[in-house]
Amino acid sequence: MTNFFKHKDQDFTQLYEAYSGKVLRLCMGYTGNPELARDLLQETFIAVWQGMDRFRGSSQPGTWIYRIAVNTCLSHLRSPKNKPGNALQEHMLETKADEQSDTEQRIQLLYRCINELAATDRLIITMVLEDIPYAEIAESTGIKEGNLRVKIHRIKQQLNEIYKRHEQL
């Protein structure tokens, strides 16, 4: 059985350059915390590096990487000490919002709203915002594509309600 990646160092660098921004935003959508998102990004790419010898190309490399990122974020969520939305984290987000432009504040508000969604919903909507094809999202999350479309529609409705509630504050 041959390995999909022929030149591990070079291939890893290319994968990192191609996907790190999207994975970081996916992690940011999950956490709402830039430092934690960077930590999860780092954990994801450590797992990518470690798994490159086992990757056989049965899926697209991007799908494989998103699946690793999803699993990394979900593992983080499962740890009781890592529950998102604690008071300190909220305070840090509010303090940073005071120093940002209107556009940055809206983006930060969107992340806070996303942070209120269920873990799987946060991951799915963040992938949608990254314009990841539905087929890749379905494969990464283990949800059938038809069910995924319905789920995305419901997530968008819920996110819209949360966003409107926050705008009124």
Side-chain angles (χ1 to χ4, degrees):
M1 197 176 261
T2 61
N3 186 358
F4 182 84
F5 299 108
K6 305 295 182 206
H7 308 286
K8 189 172 181 178
D9 290 345
Q10 181 181 354
D11 290 337
F12 179 80
T13 300
Q14 289 174 346
L15 289 173
Y16 186 83
E17 288 172 357
Y19 295 102
S20 63
K22 290 181 179 186
V23 170
L24 178 62
R25 287 185 292 275
L26 179 112
C27 295
M28 182 64 184
Y30 160 70
T31 65
N33 178 325
E35 289 178 37
L36 182 55
R38 284 190 295 276
D39 288 346
L40 292 172
L41 169 72
Q42 190 173 39
E43 286 181 39
T44 297
F45 276 94
I46 288 170
V48 167
W49 175 262
Q50 293 170 339
M52 286 179 73
D53 294 335
R54 295 183 306 277
F55 182 75
R56 303 289 176 229
S58 60
S59 65
Q60 293 293 322
T63 302
W64 174 65
I65 291 170
Y66 295 132
R67 186 69 196 161
I68 292 171
V70 166
N71 288 337
T72 301
C73 290
L74 288 176
S75 292
H76 177 78
L77 173 70
R78 288 183 193 116
S79 175
K81 66 181 179 177
N82 295 325
K83 295 293 182 188
N86 64 40
L88 177 61
Q89 186 177 9
E90 290 297 320
H91 174 71
M92 288 171 52
L93 290 173
E94 289 171 12
T95 301
K96 286 183 180 180
D98 293 339
E99 302 168 357
Q100 297 171 336
S101 72
D102 186 52
T103 302
E104 291 170 334
Q105 286 178 4
R106 288 187 177 281
I107 291 170
Q108 201 64 34
L109 174 58
L110 178 61
Y111 281 130
R112 281 199 307 264
C113 293
I114 290 171
N115 199 34
E116 292 183 26
L117 297 170
T120 304
D121 294 352
R122 284 195 301 265
L123 294 168
I124 290 170
I125 199 65
T126 304
M127 292 173 109
V128 169
L129 291 171
E130 285 298 320
D131 292 326
I132 296 170
Y134 283 10
E136 286 188 40
I137 296 172
E139 188 175 338
S140 295
T141 59
I143 299 172
K144 292 182 180 179
E145 192 171 343
N147 292 345
L148 177 69
R149 291 180 185 279
V150 172
K151 188 163 186 63
I152 289 170
H153 177 72
R154 290 180 181 153
I155 293 168
K156 286 180 179 178
Q157 288 177 324
Q158 185 181 7
L159 190 56
N160 191 33
E161 290 171 14
I162 295 168
Y163 194 84
K164 285 180 183 176
R165 191 175 65 233
H166 277 275
E167 278 189 319
Q168 293 173 354
L169 297 178

